[in-house]
Amino acid sequence: MTQIERAFVTIREGQVHLRRSVGSPTGRLPLWMVHASPASSITVVSLMRELGAQRAVIAPDTLGNGDSAPPAPAAPDIAYYADSSLRVMDALGIERADLYGSHTGAHIVTEMAIARPDRFGRVILDGIGMFSPQDKQDHLAHYTRVMAPDFYGSQFHWAWHFVRDQAWFFPHYRQDAQHLRGIAPPSADTLHDVTVEVLKSIRTYHLAYRAAFAHPDRERLKLLRHRTLSMADIEDPLRAGVAEAASLLPDACQRIFESAREGGMAGKAALLARFLDSGQIG
């Protein structure tokens, strides 16, 4: 299985932390991966290990998440996150790549591809939130609390429950039977790892979320000209947006991935690799 190393690169906001595959073949375009909120690129490591056997894979922590520097604006939008990711590519000397984005990352890679279509091959949107205007306003109001360390350490208690509750409910703040996800909870190790990443960026974790909820996705997806896979795991609460996103994209295929039946992470990586190589998922 591919080894993943950690590194830093400097852009004008400061140091950006990233993970990348080691010793991957160089015959294909590298894959640039942008993680979901909250946490960091730690959430895509399992996919990186699988995909890194065929191509170079790079996944930065977005600004204000994980070990990366905070964003410069007080209220950054998705276009800003896309621009900062492009500048990280520049700092690493990566001229062209394929794109993968999950949740918030799906919004970011959409804007990356629109801004610089010449630099990208194929695009994978792994869960993109196609929320109604009313849901967007509700999420902006309730999904992400502005947090900071305090003398009592309440941020530690809050962060654990924030991460845990997202596994049980969607949205996490609607804690009733109607909003139960009905899936097995993550392992204690996974909850710990993700919580630690949230705590690292406790002052700024909410900014990328808010940018994603405010992103005019329906208007912007129509401008994405690359061959695109709109997909989600069967257990992903954002799977409801897969078909709508695909219908807005000029050149797209779509898929709901059933992990238990289709080979787990290795099966998902194989599906993504087929799409990246051929533009097809069959």
Side-chain angles (χ1 to χ4, degrees), residues 39 64-68 196-206:
N65 287 287
D67 289 304
S68 287
V196 168
E197 297 299 298
V198 174
L199 285 166
K200 288 178 182 178
S201 54
I202 196 69
R203 301 170 183 85
T204 52
Y205 84 96
H206 62 286

Side-chain angles (χ1 to χ4, degrees), residues 78 101 103 105-114 123-131 136 215-231 241-252:
I78 287 295
H103 292 211
H107 296 273
I108 294 171
V109 301
T110 295
E111 291 297 334
M112 291 175 71
I114 292 170
V123 179
I124 298 169
L125 308 179
D126 189 356
I128 184 166
M130 304 297 293
F131 301 118
K136 286 188 176 190
H215 185 228
D217 36 54
R218 290 175 175 85
E219 293 84 358
R220 301 300 290 171
L221 286 169
K222 297 174 183 177
L223 304 179
L224 182 55
R225 302 302 176 191
H226 301 72
R227 178 65 172 167
T228 302
L229 170 59
S230 175
M231 67 167 296
V242 166
E244 182 181 2
S247 73
L248 296 168
L249 292 160
D251 184 15

Side-chain angles (χ1 to χ4, degrees), residues 16-271:
V16 173
H17 174 257
L18 59 93
R19 291 174 168 85
R20 61 190 174 195
S21 59
V22 177
S24 297
T26 57
R28 296 177 170 91
L29 283 181
L31 179 62
W32 190 263
M33 304 184 76
V34 185
H35 63 86
S37 294
S40 69
S41 56
I42 196 172
T43 59
V44 294
V45 165
S46 295
L47 266 179
M48 293 179 73
R49 286 184 176 136
E50 297 287 348
L51 291 165
Q54 297 184 3
R55 71 195 73 236
V57 185
I58 308 97
D61 296 353
T62 55
L63 292 178
N65 287 287
D67 289 304
S68 287
D77 59 12
I78 287 295
Y80 170 83
Y81 284 102
D83 176 72
S84 66
S85 195
L86 286 164
R87 289 186 280 116
V88 175
M89 287 182 62
D90 291 341
L92 292 170
I94 298 172
E95 296 182 2
R96 294 194 75 241
D98 292 319
L99 287 170
Y100 167 96
S102 175
H103 292 211
T104 299
H107 296 273
I108 294 171
V109 301
T110 295
E111 291 297 334
M112 291 175 71
I114 292 170
R116 290 299 307 271
D118 56 306
R119 296 188 68 170
F120 301 107
R122 296 189 171 108
V123 179
I124 298 169
L125 308 179
D126 189 356
I128 184 166
M130 304 297 293
F131 301 118
S132 68
Q134 295 79 13
D135 283 341
K136 286 188 176 190
Q137 289 303 312
D138 192 58
H139 293 338
L140 283 167
H142 302 292
Y143 206 98
T144 54
R145 290 177 57 184
V146 177
M147 296 294 296
D150 63 36
F151 185 76
Y152 301 100
S154 61
Q155 71 274 12
F156 294 97
H157 182 267
W158 174 86
W160 174 267
H161 287 88
F162 174 62
V163 172
R164 186 203 64 181
D165 290 349
Q166 288 188 82
W168 286 353
F169 302 96
F170 186 80
H172 70 89
Y173 55 88
R174 302 289 185 200
Q175 297 186 4
D176 54 35
Q178 181 182 350
H179 294 90
L180 274 170
R181 293 182 61 187
I183 62 174
S187 68
D189 284 340
T190 297
L191 288 174
H192 171 82
D193 290 345
V194 175
T195 300
V196 168
E197 297 299 298
V198 174
L199 285 166
K200 288 178 182 178
S201 54
I202 196 69
R203 301 170 183 85
T204 52
Y205 84 96
H206 62 286
L207 296 174
Y209 264 126
R210 293 184 176 183
F213 293 143
H215 185 228
D217 36 54
R218 290 175 175 85
E219 293 84 358
R220 301 300 290 171
L221 286 169
K222 297 174 183 177
L223 304 179
L224 182 55
R225 302 302 176 191
H226 301 72
R227 178 65 172 167
T228 302
L229 170 59
S230 175
M231 67 167 296
D233 294 347
I234 189 67
E235 296 180 339
D236 189 338
L238 302 191
R239 65 187 180 277
V242 166
E244 182 181 2
S247 73
L248 296 168
L249 292 160
D251 184 15
C253 54
Q254 60 180 288
R255 179 69 174 273
I256 301 296
F257 182 75
E258 299 186 41
S259 182
R261 184 175 62 83
E262 299 187 73
M265 193 61 68
K268 181 174 181 176
L271 170 68

